[in-house]
């Protein structure tokens, strides 16, 4: 995948579009929410359509890994909300 890289110093070594901090799982989540490739490019101006296609291809070739990244994101959101709720208004 020419436009996908991993870097231990960036995004917890999750796969990202080369030269950015835009994670493959973020692109997949956007696509699953109904965004077109063009809409994703508009949302993330650093991306080109080819980057989005490469990210989606990578995601579907490594679906278990990407699903785990998405689940970890969901868990982080829930934990943050619980911490906020416990600290009060």
């Amino acid at each position: 995948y020419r436009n996908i890289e991993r870097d231990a110093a960036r995004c917890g070594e999750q796969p990202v579009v080369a030269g950015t901090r835009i994670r493959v799982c973020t692109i997949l989540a956007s696509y699953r929410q109904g965004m077109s490739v063009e809409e994703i490019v508009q949302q993330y101006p650093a991306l080109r359509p080819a980057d989005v296609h490469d990210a989606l291809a990578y995601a579907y070739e490594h679906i278990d890994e990407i699903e785990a990244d998405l689940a970890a994101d969901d868990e982080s959101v829930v934990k943050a909300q619980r911490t906020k709720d416990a600290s009060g208004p």
Side-chain angles (χ1 to χ4, degrees):
Y1 302 92
R2 65 176 182 241
N3 294 326
I4 306 303
E5 64 185 10
R6 292 172 168 272
D7 183 345
R10 246 188 315 178
C11 299
E13 205 172 347
Q14 290 185 14
V16 299
V17 174
T20 75
R21 296 182 60 83
I22 303 169
R23 298 176 305 151
V24 169
C25 67
T26 300
I27 294 170
L28 179 61
S30 298
Y31 187 74
R32 285 181 173 175
Q33 291 172 358
M35 292 177 74
S36 67
V37 170
E38 293 79 17
E39 290 170 326
I40 294 170
V41 169
Q42 287 175 350
Q43 181 79 22
Y44 301 99
L47 298 179
R48 299 169 300 152
D51 298 326
V52 176
H53 287 289
D54 285 347
L56 292 172
Y58 181 94
Y60 286 112
E61 288 290 323
H62 301 88
I63 197 66
D64 292 338
E65 169 192 347
I66 302 305
E67 290 288 352
D69 292 342
L70 287 169
D73 285 351
D74 289 344
E75 186 175 324
S76 295
V77 169
V78 169
K79 284 181 180 178
Q81 184 62 41
R82 286 184 182 156
T83 301
K84 179 182 173 190
D85 291 345
S87 66

